[in-house]
Amino acid sequence: MAKPPIRKPKKKVCIFCAAEKHGRSEPIDYKDTTLLRKFISDRGKIRARRVTGNCSQHQRRVASAVKNSREMALLPYTSTAK
């Protein structure tokens, strides 16, 4: 019996690079909690690059913005649910 061909998963695109390409750059700011919540899991962990699709440069900026936002008490360190 023949095996079905293996499908390659579609590569995710960095939303920040895509926005820059279309002329509307979106700055990564620690005060923009709605944007940063997209990159945090329900447990409060920062999502990995392979999950979010960010490039390495923007992933580093997102991570430092999340850390600054946590320090300023705009985002929680962890969720209260266990």
Side-chain angles (χ1 to χ4, degrees), residues 62-76:
V62 164
S64 62
V66 167
K67 290 174 187 177
N68 286 340
S69 186
R70 285 175 176 165
E71 194 71 25
M72 296 293 169
L74 299 174
L75 288 175

Side-chain angles (χ1 to χ4, degrees), residues 24-50:
R24 51 183 194 280
S25 69
E26 195 169 328
I28 302 171
D29 190 19
Y30 74 93
K31 293 174 269 185
D32 191 2
T33 57
T34 55
L35 175 72
L36 295 178
R37 283 193 189 272
K38 295 178 188 175
F39 303 103
I40 298 178
S41 69
D42 57 338
R43 295 276 201 169
K45 293 182 175 183
I46 300 171
R47 293 191 191 270
R49 270 185 60 203
R50 60 183 171 80

